[in-house]
Amino acid sequence: MAKLIYTGITSLDGYIEDPSGRFDWSMPDEEVHAFVNDLTRSVGTHVYGRRMYEVMTGWETDPSLAGQSPLMRDFAELWQAADKIVYSTTLQAPSTARTRIERRFDPEAIRRLKTTATRDIAIGGPALAARAIAAGLVDEYHLFLNPIVVGGGKPFLPDGVRVTLDLLDERRFAGGVVHLRYRARGTKATPLP
């Protein structure tokens, strides 16, 4: 059975972008990028909302990204080789190969995908991930904590849900980033009162 994995590169205070919508402070250095690439090797399907998908399409539509370094070329190849499912009511057609659009998020469809997929599934974007977390679908959480406090913005994790986690792994990087890998204990998220 495939795992549904939610990964984010966040500030120490838990945001994926700052109050201005910027996330340039989260760009991984070579050491972190190589580690992210290795984690991505197990992924056969990426699940996105429209906004996250539009950010990620550059890995296929902008050849200059892959041309910047061997690490970026490796990530572009990994991303392009995976299937993509985009949940959007406004996106008319995908701009990348191996991509299908779904009009509404269906937790049961994700459960079925987890049972039939031969490789892991990555979910990207905090709004879509919040729905998967609330439905008890997320099996693992990977956080890359950056040594910066941004004071607000878009949070990585949703409010109003409690999930008990077990720490599976941790790693420090020379630039101050820390990777934390957690497994959800059980498959039930508990709404907070």
Side-chain angles (χ1 to χ4, degrees), residues 31-32 170-180:
E31 182 185 22
V32 174
E170 59 188 272
R171 178 170 172 179
R172 290 181 182 188
F173 296 92
V177 172
V178 175
H179 170 253
L180 301 171

Side-chain angles (χ1 to χ4, degrees), residues 18 33 47 63 105 130 134 137 143 157:
D18 67 20
H33 208 304
V47 178
F105 179 74
L137 294 170
L143 285 83
L157 293 169

Side-chain angles (χ1 to χ4, degrees), residues 66-79:
Q68 291 180 24
S69 75
L71 285 170
M72 292 180 80
R73 182 174 46 257
D74 183 35
F75 186 83
E77 290 170 358
L78 291 166
W79 192 83

